[in-house]
Amino acid sequence: MPVDCPIFDNLQRLHARLAAVTQGRVASYIPELSKADPAHFGIVVATVDGQVYEVGDSRVLFTMQSISKALVYGMALEDQGAGRVAQAIGVEPSGDAFNSISLEPGTGRPRNPMINAGAIATAALVRGQGDAPAWQRILETLSACAGRALDVDEAVFESERSTGHRNRAIGHLLRNYDILQGDPEPALALYFRQCSVRVDCRDLALMAATLANGGVHPHSGQRVLSADVIGPMLSVMTTCGMYDFSGEWAWRVGLPAKSGVGGGILAVLPGQLGIGVFSPLLDERGNSVRGVRACEALSRDLGLHFLKPPRPVAAGLRARYSLAELRSKRRRAAADEAVLQAQGSRVQVFELQGDLRFSTLEPVVRAVVHARHDMDIAVLDFERVQHADDAALRLLEGLVATCAARDQHLVLTRVRRGDLLAGLGQELDPRAALALVFQPQLDLGLEWAERQLLLRHVRPVSGGVTAVQGDLVQQLRSQPLCAGMREAEWRPLVDTLQTLHFEQGSLVLRRGDQADGLYFLLAGEVSVLVDRPQGGQQRLATLSAGMSFGELALVQGGRRSADVRADTAVHCARLSADAFADLARTQPGLMVRLLHNMVCALGDTTVRLTAEVAALSS
Ligand code: GLN
């Protein structure tokens, strides 16, 4: 780590300030622990993405002691399930010392897994895997949480095993209440061993970061504990992790944490970071004096209190507009355009972003629900959605059902199926599911919505392949480019045209080719396409019979700027560049009209693009 880093500097200042604190006493009731050096002091912060900031005696080894309880509790939950564990051990803070004999009257259930009674009962619930004994499972899991192979301080283990009469008494009491079955000694041995596992301060911070990271070690990427035991572990750490100091700790520090009489404290800020602190000088409750002070200062200085009122969560809605402002790339005949313009607000588009959960999706649901009578279709775009939790999935399903009941559609675009919304629709009534439509691109979702809108508000829908019928003049009359033509001008125009046929899928124009003429689309559909930098093609427009293309390059000369592909079988009439030049000489009136109509078409395009930019940047 660079030494001129402000975060490192802050930690060093904090370390120097608290190193002067000499209150507290090294634990001595376990004889071996009294050998600890009271001067030792380390602070380590590890982020969920694996950055480690360490100062002081961050690599001095000490025993985990009670810190192991939180992690072994997670293993018991994994092995037995929450129900079985809850039969044996409660989750209520006792408000008593760590070694109190705090058993629930009647049942004999230890109040919680963080006091010794609960931790001894917890150790008995850890299962070995295959032939491997429970101890191996505990040591391997603790090692995986730290990200390196840990071992046991045999001297401390022996010291506690031979002097731990109070814990042994607790073990027998648990046996008396049938919380432990059979001889209590194996459970006690497991417990003494887990307490004697040697770690350093950096290990603690990385263990904490693993919990903060939902059970996945930030460096190894290994899933060490299953995601669903992390919440219960952090909950008991919050309420019971600092024994009879837990209430004040929550008030002052506000981080799920666990301390040990070896002098360590492990603290977790879920989703963000882990802290490990080590200083063997303990207060009367068995918590490290400097450790508590260091965590308090870090929480205050770095703003880590887990209940610090968060800023309202980032909005889940990035942009909202309607079809009146942003259309698909399909160009439509004037009559259809007019319908879409008039009815466009009945299709509302919501571009979502970030993590979808109740609080980010709720405003979107509210907007859709409120638009009750004014909306036919809601398009939800998922391009920028990173994650959707179960609550968001259920909310979306509820929204589909609501839309179905109101004869509305919900179109979801650019959803990474399989991962993002896996399972969506499974709970849906099949009739309601008809209201749910997936489209791979936003543009296609908009086009789908346009088609629906036209179906709802005009019938039949124009477009599609129409048979080539009547003579060319007849077919060209509906062309906006030919608007206002004098009767006498049709013949000279039509005589210069060449009719062409293209198979479905073939290229009508190729990007880069010399511009050689203007094309009137007589039947069928074409799409104008450009290559995307990341591969694939982007649709700029889809045109149908009655429209024209290629006119710009004709005026400007030069090369084609995009591909034009036949989406269906296509009939065109082509006005070549040479014929165009001839007409300019022989039919100036006709030419003026053509150019005037081209300018009008360009004007329409500009208006459309301006509205699109405005909608997207709002
Ligand atoms: N092994 C110690 C004991 O049982 C653990 C206590 C602690 O760290 N608070 O007494």
Side-chain angles (χ1 to χ4, degrees), residues 29-30 64-67 69 98-99 116 160 167 191-192 195 243 258-262 285-286:
Y29 75 97
I30 300 172
M64 288 185 84
Q65 298 299 334
S66 283
I67 297 171
K69 294 171 179 172
F98 67 83
N99 57 2
N116 293 2
E160 184 166 6
N167 283 330
Y191 169 70
F192 292 144
C195 287
Y243 318 112
K258 189 70 209 81
S259 64
V261 291
R285 286 150 165 146

Side-chain angles (χ1 to χ4, degrees), residues 104-230:
E104 208 172 58
T107 63
R109 215 171 53 137
R111 298 262 186 209
N112 68 65
M114 302 290 114
I115 53 172
N116 293 2
I120 295 165
T122 302
L125 292 176
V126 175
R127 291 262 163 274
Q129 279 165 343
D131 291 342
W135 166 242
Q136 188 172 335
R137 153 125 168 94
I138 292 176
L139 186 64
E140 282 175 2
T141 308
L142 291 176
S143 296
C145 285
R148 69 179 189 92
L150 302 176
D151 63 5
V152 167
D153 185 326
E154 294 294 341
V156 172
F157 169 66
E158 207 35 58
S159 181
E160 184 166 6
R161 200 181 61 82
S162 57
T163 61
H165 306 301
R166 189 180 174 93
N167 283 330
R168 194 158 278 114
I170 291 173
H172 281 278
L173 263 179
L174 293 173
R175 172 68 191 89
N176 175 63
Y177 284 109
D178 279 332
I179 300 292
L180 291 182
Q181 270 89 43
D183 182 3
E185 204 52 43
L188 285 162
L190 267 187
Y191 169 70
F192 292 144
R193 256 188 202 287
Q194 72 181 57
C195 287
S196 307
V197 168
R198 267 195 300 207
V199 290
D200 62 25
C201 210
R202 186 173 187 273
D203 294 327
L204 285 189
L206 282 164
M207 287 172 159
T210 300
L211 299 185
N213 200 28
V216 175
H217 192 281
H219 290 166
S220 68
Q222 185 190 346
R223 169 153 299 285
V224 180
L225 288 161
S226 58
D228 48 342
V229 303
I230 303 296

Side-chain angles (χ1 to χ4, degrees), residues 3 20 91 100 163 165 198 349 388 402 466 567 580 600:
V3 280
V91 290
S100 67
T163 61
H165 306 301
R198 267 195 300 207
V349 183
T402 305
T466 49
D567 294 337
F580 190 71
C600 287

Side-chain angles (χ1 to χ4, degrees), residues 323-438:
L323 214 52
E325 294 140 292
L326 187 77
R327 231 33 94 56
S328 82
K329 298 299 179 199
R330 174 174 289 277
R331 306 283 301 280
R332 297 182 189 272
D336 288 350
E337 277 294 326
V339 172
L340 292 181
Q341 197 56 50
Q343 305 292 339
S345 65
R346 304 194 62 79
V347 176
Q348 294 286 324
V349 183
F350 300 85
E351 288 192 16
L352 309 180
Q353 67 181 3
D355 285 2
L356 295 189
R357 49 176 171 262
F358 175 78
S359 53
T360 52
L361 194 55
E362 183 272 338
V364 177
V365 171
R366 192 191 328 155
V368 173
V369 168
H370 280 178
R372 179 173 194 124
H373 300 296
D374 308 320
M375 193 182 70
D376 294 332
I377 300 166
V379 179
L380 307 188
D381 182 60
F382 278 73
E383 168 79 346
R384 292 178 182 78
V385 173
Q386 262 87 45
H387 177 74
D389 71 6
D390 286 346
L393 277 190
R394 281 193 300 275
L395 208 50
L396 275 176
E397 275 174 355
L399 191 59
V400 176
T402 305
C403 287
R406 296 167 168 190
D407 194 26
Q408 293 168 325
H409 278 102
L410 197 63
V411 182
L412 307 189
T413 60
R414 297 195 283 189
V415 176
R416 293 189 309 279
R417 305 241 18 220
D419 101 64
L420 190 59
L421 295 186
L424 179 70
Q426 274 170 10
E427 301 288 310
L428 273 179
D429 174 298
R431 270 166 309 162
L434 293 177
L436 178 64
V437 176
F438 285 94

